[in-house]
Amino acid sequence: MSEVTVLKIGGSVLTDRSKERTLKLREINRIAKEIASVGVRDLIIVHGAGSFGHPQAKRFDLDVPGKCSYETIIIHNVVKELNRIFIEKLAENGMLVVPVHPLNCTISREGRLENMMTDQIRLMLKNDIVPVFHGDVIMDRIWGRAILSGDQIVAHIAKCLNAGRVGIGTNVDGIMDGKKVMDVITPEEFCGVKKLLKGSKDVDVTGGMASKANELFKLAEEGISSHVFNASKKGLVINFLSGERNFGTIIRGD
Ligand code: IPE
């Protein structure tokens, strides 16, 4: 395992999903401060789109296969807007951060991320730069374009860089079995847990917790564990980055 840490902050943590293009500015500030305060090296950040992508993509039917169009660019631009704001806050807190837009460096095949340029990411880490990815709309070899979730990015980059730590900060306490948070999920339990999981109650073009867990289960099958936790709760991003594991759900890959 390398020292690389991949941290995703979900769009529901950074934005208000009930209103289109609405930020949770206080939360963005808090999360940026928390990340910066720990000063983890070899960190890759990924964030979701929230209300800066999901409702717009739904409106233009971008969740079904189709050709690249003007609407595709609108979605890319709106999620880039969120990326710029988040990056600005991270930079204000002293971090050396750069945006990485998946549209420019990844390709999918029928909605599955197939290829991503990673040499520049490795060099960024070597130079103490923190790349900040986001869910995006990207070029698809078969469909023309596809929506790429931040969770697919997390799983792909974690695998490519053999990440030592993978964290998914959401607005729920972890993977739930009814009202109870599951502390640990082992590979033997993946099948059973899949049956428990649902999509999202908000407009969600990437499938909510069910598809998030799916990505993480696949990652676990590659031997990489991940940690789903509530980033809307103060201090938990700090705790994750500091190496604490006694909260949320650990999806065991070993
Ligand atoms: C969605 O990315 C990308 C677009 C809708 C363009 P995510 O699926 O990672 O976003 P969140 O975390 O659910 O908001």
Side-chain angles (χ1 to χ4, degrees), residues 8-12 17 47-50 53-54 57 75 79 135-137 147-151 204-206 212:
K8 183 193 172 195
I9 303 293
S12 309
R17 290 286 287 261
H47 67 82
H54 283 284
I75 305 303
V79 69
D136 204 353
V137 57
I147 301 276
L148 178 70
S149 70
D151 305 308
D204 193 314
V205 291
T206 51
K212 186 184 304 301

Side-chain angles (χ1 to χ4, degrees), residues 8-15 17 46-58 62 72 75-76 78-79 82 134-138 146-154 168-170 200 203-209 211-212:
K8 183 193 172 195
I9 303 293
S12 309
V13 179
L14 304 176
T15 74
R17 290 286 287 261
V46 179
H47 67 82
S51 62
F52 284 68
H54 283 284
Q56 298 85 350
K58 186 81 202 162
L62 260 68
T72 311
I75 305 303
H76 175 66
V78 77
V79 69
L82 175 62
H134 53 84
D136 204 353
V137 57
I138 63 169
I147 301 276
L148 178 70
S149 70
D151 305 308
Q152 271 206 63
I153 301 171
V154 167
I168 308 282
T170 67
S200 167
V203 176
D204 193 314
V205 291
T206 51
M209 185 55 91
S211 56
K212 186 184 304 301

Side-chain angles (χ1 to χ4, degrees), residues 4-241:
V4 172
T5 299
V6 182
L7 170 66
K8 183 193 172 195
I9 303 293
S12 309
V13 179
L14 304 176
T15 74
D16 181 346
R17 290 286 287 261
S18 67
K19 286 183 233 120
E20 216 169 293
R21 277 188 69 229
T22 307
L23 298 169
K24 286 186 184 164
L25 213 45
R26 274 174 49 186
E27 285 298 272
I28 294 178
N29 269 315
R30 177 183 63 78
I31 298 276
K33 275 198 173 64
E34 289 199 19
I35 297 175
S37 72
V38 185
V40 169
R41 294 200 59 178
D42 291 329
L43 174 65
I44 296 171
I45 299 175
V46 179
H47 67 82
S51 62
F52 284 68
H54 283 284
Q56 298 85 350
K58 186 81 202 162
R59 190 164 62 243
F60 299 138
D61 288 332
L62 260 68
D63 50 340
V64 290
K67 284 214 159 60
C68 208
S69 63
Y70 177 64
E71 282 78 19
T72 311
I73 314 304
I74 296 183
I75 305 303
H76 175 66
N77 285 338
V78 77
V79 69
K80 242 172 37 178
E81 207 180 312
L82 175 62
N83 181 259
R84 186 186 53 76
I85 293 162
F86 191 30
I87 293 248
E88 226 169 72
K89 291 296 161 203
L90 291 162
E92 274 171 23
N93 283 280
M95 290 181 68
L96 196 54
V97 276
V98 292
V100 181
H101 307 302
L103 173 65
N104 309 127
C105 61
T106 60
I107 295 171
S108 63
R109 177 181 291 273
E110 296 185 283
R112 298 297 308 161
L113 205 170
E114 183 180 76
N115 183 274
M116 176 190 278
M117 288 160 62
T118 52
D119 282 0
Q120 82 282 26
I121 304 301
R122 291 175 209 274
L123 275 175
M124 283 175 195
L125 297 181
K126 224 173 161 179
N127 287 279
D128 294 326
I129 293 172
V130 177
V132 184
F133 286 85
H134 53 84
D136 204 353
V137 57
I138 63 169
M139 304 312 293
D140 188 285
R141 283 192 200 281
I142 310 293
W143 293 347
R145 48 95 182 126
I147 301 276
L148 178 70
S149 70
D151 305 308
Q152 271 206 63
I153 301 171
V154 167
H156 189 90
I157 197 105
K159 189 175 147 196
C160 285
L161 274 63
N162 195 21
R165 285 193 294 184
V166 178
I168 308 282
T170 67
N171 66 343
V172 291
D173 288 340
I175 296 186
M176 312 296 289
D177 181 359
K179 289 205 160 95
K180 195 181 161 298
V181 180
M182 304 181 77
D183 300 335
V184 180
I185 305 177
T186 60
E188 297 74 43
E189 295 166 319
F190 291 168
C191 256
V193 175
K194 274 185 198 173
K195 291 183 194 138
L196 297 173
L197 299 175
K198 300 189 186 72
S200 167
K201 61 176 173 32
D202 298 308
V203 176
D204 193 314
V205 291
T206 51
M209 185 55 91
S211 56
K212 186 184 304 301
N214 241 332
E215 298 302 334
L216 301 175
F217 292 165
K218 278 191 224 135
L219 184 63
E221 277 156 11
E222 303 285 340
I224 299 181
S225 300
S226 57
H227 187 170
V228 180
F229 63 92
N230 195 339
S232 294
K233 286 197 173 156
K234 215 170 147 196
L236 291 193
V237 168
I238 295 183
N239 292 356
F240 166 74
L241 291 173

